Amino acid sequence: MRTLPPYLSLDRAVDALLAPGSRLSLAAPLGLGKPNRLLNALYARVKAEPARHLTLYTALSLDLPEAGSDLERRFLEPFLARHFGADYPRLDYVADLKAGRLPPNVRVQEFYFQSGAMLKCARAQRDYASINYTHVARDLAEDGLDAIVQLVARRGEGAEARYSLSCNPDVTLDVLDALSAAGKPRPHVIGVVHPDLPFLGGDADVGPEFFDALVEETSAGQPLFALPLGSVDLTEYAIGLHASALVRDGGTLQIGIGALSDAIVHALLLRHRRNADYREAVGALRGDAADADARAAGIGGLEPFTRGLYGASEMVMDGFMHLRRAGILTRRVVDDLDRQRAIDAGEAIDPAMLHGGHYLKGAFYLGTKALYDWLRGLEGEDWEGLAMCRVSDVNQLYGGREPLDAAQRRDARFFNTCMMATLLGAATSDALEDGRVVSGVGGQYNFVAMAHELRGGRSALLLRATRRNGRRVESNLRWSYGHTTIPRHLRDLYVTEYGVADLRGKSDEACVRAMLAISDARFVDTLAADAIRAGKLPRDFRVPEAWRANTPEGLHGTLQPFATKGLLPTFPFGSDFDAVERRLLPALLWLKSASARPQRWTSLLGALLAPGQAPEADACLARLGFRDGAGGWRQALLARLVRGALARTMAAD
């Protein structure tokens, strides 16, 4: 009979972690899999005992958004309490890091930050480790590790129970193997069983002997961190439409998270379900539908999906759920090279050939409440076909699986976002030129490099052509920048709202021309002049008139008719905001934008002096907690500004 791991209370679990000595090296998974209450209890104990030392290895320490103004606070606090629960256990070490009060006997080393969360935190910046996702296990094994803690799911009871690493088999399995290979002791593994965590298979499925101890969590104790359903604007839709035409039917897909990923997924759904409308939208963006079809055929396509796609992505997010439900994520792969080759050759396929096949592999998942509900409800082929795996499996081609991986990942399209790109094809995705880290490398380098190794594989880096920096609009396409995430020798495809630049194998001059063609017209002359000075364009180069049409106004004019027809909704997959909150959002964004731009201060003054009328104004003001006569002149001023912003954004609609 197997020895079952003991179930411990939080306090006894902390005792077990601290028992071996005064120094503890602990790993907790990135993202959703952190057991917040256990980590908080451990951190509180170490913080109170300065003789102890804790080093926490982790990444993506999720925290709730914080308001930057009184208006934002009024909007955010009620929403966050409703969405996450009033008593969601935020990570105490994150709060202390941001406040500059992390004690000297605690060190938190992360290899990926929640985007922008630690830009102003010197301690977090110093302790950040720039590591490829696939190298984390190697580096942890070299440092040595005392314990691992993470949320897990359970199916069954007692000796018959099975456990799932669920959202995070990514590094846990690899680091245990790396420690064993290095001849180092196995760390103490504590699983915190969460009743709402979906039980998923693949590498994530383990027996009770995997754990040294278990802790029971409750839904009330730690609600799963669920991202709110996001919005997509017309600029993001343009990028998504361009990117969707790069996908080849029968191929492989990797995408990340955020508005650009939502835009790609929505565009793929349009391509499959409303193909005529989709072709019209892509043709309008590219200038001619027939020309768009011809150009797409070289890399991707515009037709609906008949053979389907296979997903191979470090991250499983909502988009894969939507693609599966729509009948797009249907291509199955098997872990046997001969069978895979037979399937790819189109031979008559006995259903038995697909036994054990997968339509999606992922190393971790994070998403909305809808995603977690979908994962919990998977049955039969839908459940069996989704395999959670090690990050070393999905993010690279090494380890003896190269022929099989290459066969499975045919015509791979790896979509990732970046912050900036140079005209010569280098990308900045994780940090600023002064060294401060915005997020992390994660798996981006792995997927870009993999695209160059796979036959038919392509990497597409997505970015908006411009960004607002305070009161200034700046180009995200640069001649040069002081930090690089992806080097120019790995340049491939870039996508902005103005089109696609194919840089693979091209000369420097050809790359410069391609990138200028997808840049914002307000910056194209300056960028071209930089290239001419560097000798990468001839001195007699002149900017083509067609590139001067790359303006936000032109783009809006092109896509607004499709938005009016309902093809490009603001919330493509629904919203966690109620009707009043959805009405408030444009007004609050209008106020924030107008406040940051002096040229629009007259608009603010107009909103204050003549606020106008909006039908939902009273409900919106009540939602923000404004009540007549309460709070004095300052609240009255803010309420009047909100009323004016509501009237103006409603008129714009």
Side-chain angles (χ1 to χ4, degrees), residues 58-362:
T58 190
L60 195 58
S61 294
L62 297 169
D63 194 20
L64 305 187
E66 296 179 343
S69 68
D70 182 46
L71 274 180
E72 288 183 9
R73 179 189 60 78
R74 290 170 177 270
F75 182 85
L76 271 178
E77 286 184 354
F79 172 75
L80 295 176
R82 184 179 77 233
H83 187 76
F84 291 96
D87 298 317
Y88 180 82
R90 299 174 72 170
L91 290 162
D92 291 337
Y93 70 82
V94 173
D96 281 359
L97 269 170
K98 290 180 177 179
R101 57 174 181 256
L102 193 78
N105 61 327
V106 176
R107 178 170 175 253
V108 180
Q109 180 175 302
E110 298 201 65
F111 68 88
Y112 201 98
F113 292 145
Q114 193 170 1
S115 185
M118 295 299 179
L119 271 174
K120 297 179 181 179
C121 179
R123 179 78 183 274
Q125 291 289 332
R126 292 197 300 273
D127 287 336
Y128 169 80
S130 186
I131 307 173
N132 280 334
Y133 202 173
T134 51
H135 295 156
V136 172
R138 175 203 67 190
D139 294 344
L140 284 178
E142 288 180 0
D143 287 348
L145 199 61
D146 299 314
I148 297 173
V149 297
Q150 76 174 78
L151 292 183
V152 299
R154 180 180 61 211
R155 177 175 289 173
E157 299 293 337
E160 302 304 316
R162 298 291 299 177
Y163 295 84
S164 173
L165 302 181
S166 190
C167 54
N168 286 98
D170 48 348
V171 173
T172 300
L173 296 168
D174 280 339
V175 74
L176 290 175
D177 284 352
L179 286 164
S180 176
K184 295 186 177 180
R186 187 181 191 272
H188 196 72
V189 179
I190 296 182
V192 179
V193 180
H194 197 294
D196 296 336
L197 202 64
F199 189 103
L200 298 181
D203 293 341
D205 188 348
V206 297
E209 67 279 0
F210 185 84
F211 304 98
D212 296 288
L214 294 163
V215 176
E216 288 275 9
E217 184 53 278
T218 64
S219 302
Q222 183 180 338
L224 295 181
F225 191 102
L227 301 171
L229 291 160
S231 61
V232 179
D233 64 26
L234 291 184
T235 297
E236 292 155 349
Y237 270 127
I239 295 171
L241 286 163
H242 286 306
S244 67
L246 302 173
V247 178
R248 182 167 291 173
D249 188 19
T252 303
L253 185 65
Q254 178 262 325
I255 44 179
I257 199 167
L260 294 182
S261 296
D262 286 347
I264 294 174
V265 171
H266 182 73
L268 291 172
L269 295 175
L270 288 178
R271 172 176 161 179
H272 190 61
R273 292 169 166 168
R274 301 181 62 172
N275 192 254
D277 289 329
Y278 169 78
R279 287 172 179 267
E280 185 183 358
V282 173
L285 276 175
R286 295 187 173 183
D288 179 82
D291 183 48
D293 203 351
R295 278 187 283 176
I299 297 176
L302 300 177
E303 70 284 351
F305 295 93
T306 57
R307 290 176 290 172
L309 300 177
Y310 162 62
S313 183
E314 70 178 24
M315 182 178 191
V316 174
M317 33 66 79
D318 287 59
F320 288 110
M321 169 183 70
H322 298 303
L323 295 173
R324 178 64 179 173
R325 284 173 166 170
I328 296 173
L329 199 68
T330 57
R331 184 168 80 84
R332 301 274 291 278
V333 304
V334 294
D335 288 331
D336 178 89
L337 184 57
D338 291 336
R339 280 197 294 154
Q340 187 64 52
R341 285 173 172 167
I343 292 168
D344 291 343
E347 298 176 6
I349 300 173
D350 186 314
M353 291 183 66
L354 291 173
H355 177 70
H358 303 120
Y359 60 84
L360 175 61
K361 270 190 174 183

Side-chain angles (χ1 to χ4, degrees), residues 444-502:
Q444 183 172 119
Y445 180 90
N446 295 124
F447 284 108
V448 172
M450 198 189 313
H452 286 270
E453 301 300 324
L454 288 169
R455 183 177 180 182
R458 301 302 299 264
S459 159
L461 294 181
L462 318 176
L463 72 161
R464 298 162 183 81
T466 64
R467 73 177 185 278
R468 181 163 293 282
N469 183 3
R471 298 173 181 175
R472 301 192 313 275
V473 175
E474 297 180 350
S475 177
N476 284 329
L477 281 76
R478 303 291 189 94
W479 174 246
S480 62
Y481 192 70
H483 173 75
T484 295
T485 310
I486 303 300
R488 64 191 267 199
H489 67 268
L490 289 179
R491 58 197 182 194
D492 201 342
L493 297 166
Y494 280 95
V495 185
T496 75
E497 60 266 36
Y498 301 118
V500 178
D502 186 354

